[in-house]
Amino acid sequence: MTKVFITGASGFIAQHIIKLLLARNYEIIGTVRTKAKGELLRSCLSPTDKFTYEIVSDIAEPGAFDHALKKNPGITYVFHAASPCFFETTDPEHDILIPAIRGTENILSAIVKYQPEVQRVVLTSSDAAIYSNEDEINSKLSFNESNWNNTKYEDALNDGITAYYCAKALAEKYAWEFMLKNIPSFGLVAINPVYVFGPQAYGVPENLNASNELFTKLLNLGPDEKFDNEMGGFIDVRDIASAHVFAIDSKEAVGRRLLVSNGQYSAQMILDIINKHFPQLNLPKGNEGTGEYDTMNLARVNNSATRKLLNRRFNSLENIVVDTVSQLLDSRKNSKAHL
Ligand code: NDP
């Protein structure tokens, strides 16, 4: 029986990874912050008996994962998905930088101490580790898997967005440096997703995760309301979950950073798709058809190395939007939130 450990199991992306792992009949140990979250997640899974949870209320605490890893011998694969994934805070250092970085330090040191049989660690990093929030919107720049966001810790203390980008970069840098310094027996793979959108694996929570919040914002617009034309890279959560599983299957993935993106979106492009498929919602039209042109203001992203390695056709923005909105509308209709 293959045993897998996943941190932040109640999270949006982690739940999709768990879904794929359960389909393989793996035994899964997930960390959650509270018993209530663990029980709720367990009640949604099938088969339930393949999933147990350990409570790690704060990944930043010294030795946060020691107890959970000591207690569950024989783990083969570890996914580290827990990390603050939001921008709004009055204390970016405490709420974002410290947990992202210490969480990564804690999981890696606990594996080395208590789980000698681990073969692969998959770190959920981010495109934020590749470029800074400022560079992402500089159309003169171009990025690929080899680039790094070099924002300094002390320059990231005052603003949540800069802190998030910097935290993801420093956490991932720490992981690669850890590998060089300790030469552990496991291989490391970093997954660097752009904005991850898509339906929930196990029912719609009251508050959507940070990236999917865009859908809530757009669906709540009045017909003549103005909206912020947010933009960035996009990818389907189901493609991201598959990339994580690929990272444990593929020897070629070891030592690599997978910049998983299927192109760039703007809120206008998403609105156009919603208006095409769900005209009854009567959302604003904005400047219909111009969204793709807007994304020319973003830096170019070349992830051909990742695409070649994954050898997978990613889900289109249209499919992502239709699946996500359909699920949200269904859940509103039934007002039956699970997680
Ligand atoms: P979620 O917020 O849904 O998941 C994050 C998980 O981490 C939650 O289970 C959360 O628990 C847990 N967590 C956060 N901080 C702590 C902490 N201090 N102690 C213990 N647990 C903690 O976000 P996603 O699923 O979207 O993100 C998962 C990973 O993917 C993160 O590493 C994120 O940076 C990365 N990522 C996400 C992208 C996206 O667009 N969604 C894009 C690129 C990377 P709780 O909910 O109980 O607070």
Side-chain angles (χ1 to χ4, degrees), residues 7-14 31 33 37 56-60 80-86 99 124-127 164 168 192-197 209-211:
T7 69
S10 59
F12 168 56
I13 294 174
T31 71
R33 280 181 190 267
K37 287 194 179 188
V56 175
S57 57
D58 188 359
I59 56 174
H80 181 50
S83 199
C85 192
F86 53 84
T124 314
S125 184
S126 170
D127 64 336
Y164 176 80
K168 294 304 287 183
N192 300 71
V194 292
Y195 280 94
V196 182
F197 299 131
N209 68 295
S211 48

Side-chain angles (χ1 to χ4, degrees), residues 33 118 130 201 257:
R33 280 181 190 267
V118 167
I130 286 179
R257 310 172 80 202

Side-chain angles (χ1 to χ4, degrees), residues 69-141:
L69 284 181
K70 205 171 165 182
K71 195 178 144 194
N72 292 284
I75 288 163
T76 309
Y77 305 119
V78 174
F79 295 92
H80 181 50
S83 199
C85 192
F86 53 84
F87 303 137
E88 297 215 353
T89 166
T90 51
D91 192 346
E93 183 176 30
H94 177 268
D95 295 344
I96 298 176
L97 282 153
I98 290 177
I101 298 164
R102 293 218 186 121
T104 307
E105 293 171 9
N106 285 335
I107 188 69
L108 293 173
S109 61
I111 296 167
V112 166
K113 258 192 271 174
Y114 301 112
Q115 292 285 342
E117 289 167 39
V118 167
Q119 290 173 13
R120 192 76 49 89
V121 174
V122 184
L123 174 70
T124 314
S125 184
S126 170
D127 64 336
I130 286 179
Y131 37 64
S132 70
N133 43 320
E134 282 174 6
D135 286 350
E136 186 182 4
I137 51 169
N138 183 340
S139 60
K140 294 195 183 80
L141 300 177

